[in-house]
Amino acid sequence: MMFIRPVERDDLPQLLTLAGKTGGGLTSLPADEATLAARIERSLQTWQEALPRAEQGYVFVLADSATQQAVGICAIEVAVGLQDPWYNFRVGTQVHASKELNVYNNLATLSLSNDHTGSSELCTLFLDPDYRDGKNGYLLSKSRFLFMAEFRQRFMQKVVAEMRGVSDEQGRSPFWDSVGSRFFSMAFADADFLSGTGQKAFIAELMPKHPLYIDYLTPEAQAVIGQVHPQTAPARAVLEAEGFRYLNYVDIFDGGPTLECDIDRIRAVRKSRLLPVELSETPPDASLPLCLVANRDYQHFRVVLLNADPKAATITINQQVAELMNCQPGDSLRVVKLCPGEVSA
């Protein structure tokens, strides 16, 4: 059975393997052992409540109960930009008009922004290509919402998610070629690696301080503003089904969209219910919809996908699931149905 759990130190080799499969462009999952080890340690210290809010971040893995091997990763940053500035571009408009000449032009612009400072961030979502079947992607991405729902007080009001922008098989980004390369004088992959390994001072030092006119960019760069990498399109659809929206903020490196939503308006947060546990060895009714099911154990958080009735008075599970979820009869589990179109097994 596939399940979500907090990251462990022993996951480092598997996370390095995952990082090597991203193909670049996933800034928060660099193929760098020291950076990933530090990320794991920071996550463990967050669970131990040993860090201030500005430094807190949770990392989860998708694992197979038979092997315990980590085959996917997802994370939540509690509050971005409180320690190091968190940048993106705001896509806006400047009006140039002359009443005398009867000329009125709306010109689209990119302006450096810190508007999402203090938001919680969904990040570092990656699933091993060998496991991109069934509902593993939904489990990996949406498990974070049940954690947020259960431990709401630990997160901020606004939640954002930076989506990976368009790049080709060689890692070339048309947005970077037209914008970033002019200011940073380095390859996209190099800037992406520096940012992913925490070396971000160069962003503030070298980024443009004034608005950029989008009309001056190449047609290729203009076309990818607010667009996602083909491999990221499913992840965007998952978030938009939960209520996230693109509100004209894009990544400064590849032009990918930033999606955002009020935490209490996220569908899975809003609609999840607590159901008491009952044990039974009768096979689950396969006609019931697939539901995300999470325990309420902060230190040993678990999420699985089960056929269940989210409107029932109880949730019935077998002994194997109860042991995996570290629960017993009388305990309660948090349950929410997948979105329409996602629920069939």
Side-chain angles (χ1 to χ4, degrees):
M1 172 178 282
M2 306 304 295
F3 70 103
I4 298 292
R5 60 167 171 79
V7 72
E8 300 170 356
R9 290 186 182 94
D10 290 344
D11 293 323
L12 179 58
Q14 292 158 15
L15 297 190
L16 274 170
T17 299
L18 285 177
K21 295 182 178 183
T22 65
L26 188 58
T27 305
S28 57
L29 188 62
D32 181 79
E33 182 173 0
T35 300
L36 291 177
R39 185 83 182 279
I40 292 172
E41 288 301 320
R42 183 163 67 89
S43 180
L44 297 178
Q45 289 183 48
T46 299
W47 258 292
Q48 295 162 5
E49 303 189 44
L51 295 176
R53 174 164 280 186
E55 299 176 25
Q56 291 175 7
Y58 297 94
V59 178
F60 306 88
V61 298
L62 176 67
D64 188 329
S65 61
T67 65
Q68 294 298 314
Q69 181 179 4
V71 299
I73 182 173
C74 64
I76 312 170
E77 290 294 321
V78 171
V80 298
L82 299 183
Q83 189 172 47
D84 297 315
W86 202 78
Y87 296 101
N88 52 24
F89 277 131
R90 182 178 66 251
V91 181
T93 303
Q94 283 198 2
V95 174
H96 293 253
S98 170
K99 191 172 185 179
E100 181 180 352
L101 298 177
N102 194 30
V103 173
Y104 185 93
N105 290 321
N106 288 321
L107 298 177
T109 60
L110 296 171
S111 301
L112 199 63
S113 163
N114 305 118
D115 289 353
H116 291 124
T117 296
S119 301
S120 294
E121 183 197 9
L122 303 175
C123 58
T124 324
L125 179 69
F126 186 74
L127 178 60
D128 189 313
D130 294 337
Y131 286 82
R132 292 176 187 173
D133 55 3
K135 306 297 180 181
N136 289 336
Y138 297 132
L139 173 58
L140 183 62
S141 177
K142 297 188 178 218
S143 59
R144 295 173 291 187
F145 300 141
L146 295 192
F147 188 77
M148 288 178 152
E150 186 61 42
F151 306 106
R152 170 67 184 83
Q153 74 281 4
R154 297 181 180 274
F155 298 98
M156 311 303 281
Q157 191 65 34
K158 181 179 286 187
V159 183
V160 300
E162 284 190 323
M163 299 279 97
R164 181 182 179 186
V166 175
S167 59
D168 63 21
E169 294 179 355
Q170 288 72 44
R172 175 182 170 273
S173 162
F175 185 84
W176 175 265
D177 289 347
S178 192
V179 181
S181 66
R182 308 299 178 90
F183 296 93
F184 293 102
S185 299
M186 67 179 73
F188 171 64
D190 294 335
D192 191 56
F193 181 80
L194 287 173
S195 180
T197 55
Q199 303 173 69
K200 298 183 179 181
F202 74 98
I203 298 176
E205 294 167 348
L206 299 176
M207 279 304 291
K209 305 300 188 293
H210 304 287
L212 304 177
Y213 289 102
I214 290 178
D215 283 350
Y216 285 140
L217 307 185
T218 64
E220 293 80 8
Q222 293 182 45
V224 300
I225 293 173
Q227 301 301 310
V228 295
H229 191 281
Q231 293 182 4
T232 305
R236 178 176 188 170
V238 165
L239 292 182
E240 289 179 336
E242 291 289 343
F244 283 76
R245 295 293 178 263
Y246 167 58
L247 298 178
N248 295 319
Y249 289 88
V250 300
D251 183 76
I252 62 173
F253 288 169
D254 60 21
T258 297
L259 306 184
E260 54 189 277
C261 188
D262 185 284
I263 190 171
D264 297 311
R265 294 183 64 84
I266 298 172
R267 183 203 66 93
V269 172
R270 184 165 39 89
K271 293 194 172 184
S272 64
R273 297 179 61 219
L274 295 175
L275 299 181
V277 170
E278 286 188 350
L279 285 183
S280 172
E281 293 306 316
T282 302
D285 184 350
S287 67
L288 294 174
L290 275 175
C291 294
L292 293 158
V293 179
N295 69 11
R296 307 182 68 191
D297 188 334
Y298 178 68
Q299 297 291 345
H300 303 95
F301 188 67
R302 299 286 187 272
V303 189
V304 295
L305 277 174
L306 298 174
N307 292 101
D309 181 359
K311 297 181 180 180
T314 62
I315 180 169
T316 302
I317 60 176
N318 60 32
Q319 186 61 40
Q320 178 188 9
V321 174
E323 291 175 1
L324 180 64
M325 301 293 282
N326 193 29
C327 66
Q328 55 190 356
D331 291 343
S332 57
L333 297 175
R334 185 171 292 275
V335 181
V336 69
K337 186 171 70 172
L338 292 180
C339 292
E342 302 171 351
V343 295
S344 59

